[in-house]
Amino acid sequence: MNGHGRPQAVGGAIFTRPVQVLAAFAAVAAGLIVWRFILGLGATTALNDGYPWGLWIAFDVVTGTALSCGGYAVALLVYILNKGQYHPLVRPALVTSAFGYTIAGLSVVIDIGRPWIAWKLPLFWHWNVDSTLLEVSLCIMSYTVVQWIELSPAFLEWARTSTNRRIRQVGETGLPVVRKSLLWLIALGIVLPTMHQSALGSLLLLSGPRLHALWSTPLLPLLFLISCVAMGYGAVVIEGSLSSRFLGRKPETELLAGLGFAMLPLLGSYLGLRLIDLAVRGQIGALLAFDLYSVMSLIEFALFLAALALLSTDSRRRDPGNLFRAAMLMLLAGAVYRFDVFLVAFLPGANWSYFPNVNEILITAGLVAGEIAGYIVLIKLFPILAGEPQAAPVH
């Protein structure tokens, strides 16, 4: 593991006060989800015929999967660009990715109007092969399964050390099988997010004139793909920074600074493509009109530029506080861009409006809380994080 140590379980108490609070939020969300299935979308959400997609799609699915691209982004570095020194970051990145995509899949089921026929989705004779949504849904489902299998060596390594003979046998039998399959799983783990992240951008192109001109461009799939990789690196930087801060582990300064460097060409490419595209399509005037759409676009540009500036020199990337702020700005910039494309820039016509109600917000908050609680539990029980702790964990 390149001198960073083999992955180890963090250990310590599981049901600490923070985990209990997060679990309480998740429990409230679970109750509201049951209520949504009993009463339907119309009675429990602010969705309408003009805005059939709201917070659960714009945040939980579109933004959530981009925030969960850490596993995909680190895999590109390690397995495509042969940067093996980043391998210690693979497992923690996979944990956040697996949880994020699981929540995205759950959110789709919560959001669809007739969830009782969702079981037909994996059956190919029911497929509409001309549907972009079909590609997105199949890729997200498949990638979720692939990620949990990719992560399974952590569970099997733990099982192999169990004092229970049956559990130990599962670990000793299953670990070699999974390791032999990892090459194919890693290949799938790179192809699938490439397909569905670009397809999410393609999806809004289908709305034609109902997407505001500042965002309606054939480059949407490419912009979604570039920004999701940058957001993935940002998410890994934040996860690594918070782990070292709250779990008393040695900071991975060199590795995280390297991820900051990897974000630079992505940020530069995104901003360059966005500006050139607006100029070629004659939309610079709309960008400077200072109406709602202009202001939201300018906020996007400002956030991306601020992240780029904070990462511009080696000394800035090696400053943990500065790197953390840049990563936060990167995530916020990508999130605002996705919210703009899916909600702000979508123009269903006069007399339609949408703002999420309390139920939608609480369900989203509860799902995120459940993801964080699940991450804490997994890293305490299973060998996820590499390196030795410097002090006892405080959470």
Side-chain angles (χ1 to χ4, degrees):
M1 290 289 172
N2 303 309
H4 292 275
R6 295 186 62 79
Q8 297 179 18
V10 171
I14 301 297
F15 296 106
T16 57
R17 182 64 61 85
V19 171
Q20 291 174 14
V21 172
L22 291 167
F25 274 101
V28 170
L32 290 172
I33 290 170
V34 172
W35 188 45
R36 169 266 174 268
F37 282 124
I38 292 173
L39 297 183
L41 287 172
T44 57
T45 71
L47 298 172
N48 51 59
D49 290 341
Y51 286 93
W53 291 343
L55 179 67
W56 295 335
I57 295 300
F59 181 79
D60 300 8
V61 179
V62 180
T63 305
T65 56
L67 294 172
S68 303
C69 274
Y72 168 53
V74 176
L76 288 174
L77 269 185
V78 174
Y79 302 112
I80 301 299
L81 300 179
N82 199 28
K83 303 289 186 184
Q85 65 268 32
Y86 293 97
H87 197 274
L89 301 177
V90 170
R91 277 193 185 176
L94 271 176
V95 172
T96 52
S97 295
F99 272 117
Y101 271 83
T102 302
I103 286 175
L106 176 60
S107 298
V108 170
V109 174
I110 297 170
D111 190 82
I112 56 179
R114 294 188 292 173
W116 55 88
I117 57 173
W119 61 272
K120 293 183 178 180
L121 191 55
L123 307 178
F124 67 88
W125 55 89
H126 290 294
W127 290 355
N128 173 8
V129 294
D130 296 322
S131 169
T132 305
L133 271 178
L134 176 68
E135 180 194 342
V136 173
S137 59
L138 291 179
C139 284
I140 288 179
M141 284 193 304
S142 305
Y143 186 47
T144 304
V145 173
V146 165
Q147 285 183 106
W148 283 110
I149 298 175
E150 281 187 286
L151 195 57
S152 64
F155 308 133
L156 294 169
E157 287 172 12
W158 167 83
R160 203 169 53 172
T161 62
S162 172
T163 55
N164 183 293
R165 185 174 59 85
R166 292 184 183 278
I167 295 176
R168 193 166 60 249
Q169 282 180 339
V170 170
E172 291 172 347
T173 305
L175 192 56
V177 175
V178 174
R179 282 179 173 166
K180 286 181 181 177
S181 309
L182 278 180
L183 178 63
W184 302 102
L185 293 168
I186 289 167
L188 278 173
I190 291 174
V191 171
L192 290 171
T194 304
M195 291 174 64
H196 70 251
Q197 285 296 335
S198 57
L200 283 172
S202 306
L203 203 55
L204 265 291
L205 283 178
L206 301 176
S207 60
R210 292 187 176 182
L211 186 64
H212 192 279
L214 282 173
W215 291 271
S216 183
T217 164
L219 294 181
L220 262 179
L222 182 59
L223 292 171
F224 264 61
L225 189 59
I226 293 173
S227 58
C228 87
V229 177
M231 291 172 76
Y233 291 135
V236 176
V237 167
I238 290 172
E239 180 270 328
S241 302
L242 293 179
S243 294
S244 60
R245 170 69 179 82
F246 291 107
L247 299 176
R249 304 180 77 82
K250 182 180 177 182
E252 302 274 12
T253 306
E254 287 292 324
L255 295 182
L256 299 185
L259 294 186
F261 181 73
M263 278 190 260
L264 280 178
L266 296 165
L267 285 166
S269 301
Y270 174 90
L271 286 167
L273 285 171
R274 193 95 163 84
L275 280 173
I276 292 170
D277 171 70
L278 289 173
V280 169
R281 292 190 296 109
Q283 295 299 323
I284 295 297
L287 179 65
L288 302 176
F290 296 103
D291 57 8
L292 170 67
Y293 307 103
S294 161
V295 169
M296 292 306 296
S297 290
L298 291 172
I299 289 173
E300 285 175 27
F301 276 106
L303 291 169
F304 277 108
L305 279 169
L308 185 66
L310 288 176
L311 297 169
S312 59
T313 66
D314 187 58
S315 60
R316 289 181 176 180
R317 292 191 294 273
R318 289 178 186 279
D319 179 339
N322 190 70
L323 184 60
F324 184 83
R325 287 188 288 274
M328 288 295 291
L329 286 172
M330 179 63 245
L331 297 192
L332 186 58
V336 171
Y337 175 61
R338 281 159 171 74
F339 263 87
D340 283 348
V341 172
F342 272 76
L343 288 179
V344 177
F346 184 64
L347 308 170
N351 303 321
W352 294 112
S353 63
Y354 167 77
F355 191 84
N357 66 17
V358 175
N359 298 326
E360 292 171 82
I361 294 171
L362 285 177
I363 286 176
T364 292
L367 291 175
V368 174
E371 177 181 0
I372 297 171
Y375 177 86
I376 294 172
V377 171
L378 282 195
I379 63 171
K380 287 191 171 185
L381 289 177
F382 301 101
I384 305 291
L385 299 181
E388 299 283 347
Q390 292 184 316
V394 294
H395 291 288

